[in-house]
Amino acid sequence: MASPGLAALAGLAAALAVTLVRARLRRALPRVTPERRTPWRPVDLWLVLCLVGLSLGARLFLLESRPVDNDEPVGLGLASLAEWARASDARLHPPLPALLMTWVGGAGELTHARSVSVLAGVATVALAYAVVRASASSAAAGLAGLWLALMPAALHTSQLARGYALCALGVLAAHACLSRALATGKERWFVAYSLVAALTLCSEYLALPPLLGSALVAFASVRRRASLAVGVVGALGAALTATAFLAPVALPTLWLGVGGGPHAPTGVVRALADVLGLWSGPAAPFNALLALTLIVAGARRGALGPSEQRALGALLAAVLTLSCASLFTAVRARYVLHVVPLFVCVTVVSARGLGRLGVVVASFVALGHAALVPAYYAGTASGPELSTGRRTPLTLELLAAHPREPVAVVPEWAIAEASWRLEKAFPGRDAGVDCPAVLCLRGRRTLYGARLESIPRLLEREQHLFVWLRSDAVEEAPACAVVLREAGTTLFTCALAR
């Protein structure tokens, strides 16, 4: 991409043109009569304030000491679209999270970068309350907010320097804006939907399936009301036009797999099992069955309104995309984290289909997630996405005892975690050798994003070096001997044969 900034500006101009055309068309069509809304009471405001305080405290707790999660710091330090377009690792994700996290000082401190996700997670809790309150009671809205405030999967998303929390907030906000647009027929809500959808697409490519699924259900429900149908198509079209500059970057990443390297397919059964474990707390199959029972009962008894039907469309689109992807490459449960708030909202609203029994069942499922919080903070949770960061103190201590020896981290697509930890342990000047932005090792050391077969070439320059392998499998490294295995990694020492 020669000039991503100019491409983005061209997309925004085209999106503005689409918006103006849509607004002109809608003026010539019959207006929609706004639906009545249930007014908020003081208790709603108090509940929102309590939920915001609880969710903020839960996300700030142990935020600084949380282990680095895989390639969490990838993209930090990128201050422009041009830098993002040049960084191969960063291009696996859209630029908005990296730009925001750099703007708040995330390039120098990981906790600052994580604060963006913290705020997004807190806002998601408050917005989920508003979404459920529009369809159900204050008690149901409070249950949804409590569920999201303490759900380990939502906590994990909100404590990462990644775009998942922003994406989850954006998907839920786009759903809320579209619901208000269809309920009122007012142009400002369609414009808000376009803006939010565009920003959401700039946070994670994975936002596209749920946005399309929700819009498809919305169009099917209002296709006979021309004004609303034009609004849905035009608003989503404007969002897609504004973010079209991402397409040349996003399409090649579809073939890279997890972490930018080739991986064997996960398989549909394993992928869906991981998703159920992520969404359903302890005794995952049982809790998942209870949640699905609530949704089915709500659908059969008419408890699900148009808003919940659109949310179900978004959920199904996200899960279907994950299932299809699992046939070709490795996938993770985190790839559907952005629709967890929709899942929570639909489940809670569906509880109305079973009356008081439904409220009891929904409360049981929500509190089951809250019961996992101590294990999540202790790092012992068994969920596929809740125990990923592991510390390597022995490796760092051994490397600190040899301050003059360079370190190579392999393979190259797994460079970020190790490089961030090494940088924090050995500060100094950027070496700038095949390493993303500020994540390069500093000072007299050199950090390479290498492969094992490149070790002989590196030794010709360095004579001796350490090799940190992101695997504990027994692999042959030329001219190297195993020194230490720790937390799923292997440290070699390598010397040029004489």
Side-chain angles (χ1 to χ4, degrees), residues 107-191:
E109 180 53 58
L110 189 60
T111 306
H112 294 169
R114 288 171 170 172
S115 67
V116 174
S117 294
V118 169
L119 295 177
V122 172
T124 301
V125 171
L127 184 58
Y129 183 96
V131 168
V132 175
R133 183 65 180 84
S135 303
S137 64
S138 299
L143 178 60
L146 180 64
W147 189 346
L148 282 173
L150 297 178
M151 184 182 190
L155 283 174
H156 181 65
T157 307
S158 303
Q159 291 190 317
L160 290 177
R162 303 289 292 274
Y164 297 120
L166 280 173
C167 185
L169 174 61
V171 168
L172 185 60
H175 169 76
C177 290
L178 183 57
S179 297
R180 290 295 296 147
L182 298 181
T184 64
K186 293 182 178 180
E187 181 64 24
R188 65 173 178 265
W189 286 110
F190 284 108
V191 173

Side-chain angles (χ1 to χ4, degrees), residues 167-338:
C167 185
L169 174 61
V171 168
L172 185 60
H175 169 76
C177 290
L178 183 57
S179 297
R180 290 295 296 147
L182 298 181
T184 64
K186 293 182 178 180
E187 181 64 24
R188 65 173 178 265
W189 286 110
F190 284 108
V191 173
Y193 170 68
S194 294
L195 179 60
V196 170
L199 291 174
T200 304
L201 289 170
C202 287
S203 63
E204 283 293 340
Y205 303 128
L206 294 168
L208 183 59
L211 290 177
L212 290 178
S214 175
L216 181 62
V217 174
F219 179 78
S221 65
V222 301
R223 63 184 184 279
R224 296 183 180 179
R225 304 169 71 181
S227 177
L228 297 182
V230 169
V232 172
V233 174
L236 182 61
L240 294 177
T241 302
T243 55
F245 74 98
L246 295 174
V249 178
L251 291 177
T253 65
L254 296 177
W255 309 104
L256 291 178
V258 178
H263 293 267
T266 301
V268 176
V269 174
R270 171 66 185 277
L272 293 179
D274 287 347
V275 170
L276 290 179
L278 182 69
W279 283 359
S280 307
F286 178 67
N287 271 9
L289 180 62
L290 290 180
L292 293 176
T293 300
L294 287 177
I295 294 175
V296 172
R300 290 177 59 88
R301 301 195 181 193
L304 301 184
S307 177
E308 288 71 39
Q309 293 172 15
R310 289 190 293 275
L312 278 177
L315 283 170
L316 291 175
V319 174
L320 181 61
T321 301
L322 180 81
S323 301
C324 292
S326 68
L327 296 173
F328 303 99
T329 185
V331 297
R332 297 175 181 173
R334 69 171 61 184
Y335 295 168
V336 291
L337 280 172
H338 54 293

Side-chain angles (χ1 to χ4, degrees), residues 4-23:
L6 291 177
L9 289 176
L12 290 175
L16 179 60
V18 172
T19 300
L20 294 175
V21 171
R22 185 200 70 228

Side-chain angles (χ1 to χ4, degrees), residues 24 26 30 63 72 81 108 115 151 166 173 178 211 228 243 292 305 340 394 413 418 453 488:
R24 189 174 184 85
R26 291 190 68 242
L63 178 66
E72 184 182 357
L81 287 176
S115 67
M151 184 182 190
L166 280 173
L178 183 57
L211 290 177
L228 297 182
T243 55
L292 293 176
V340 164
L394 296 179
W413 47 264
E453 55 266 25

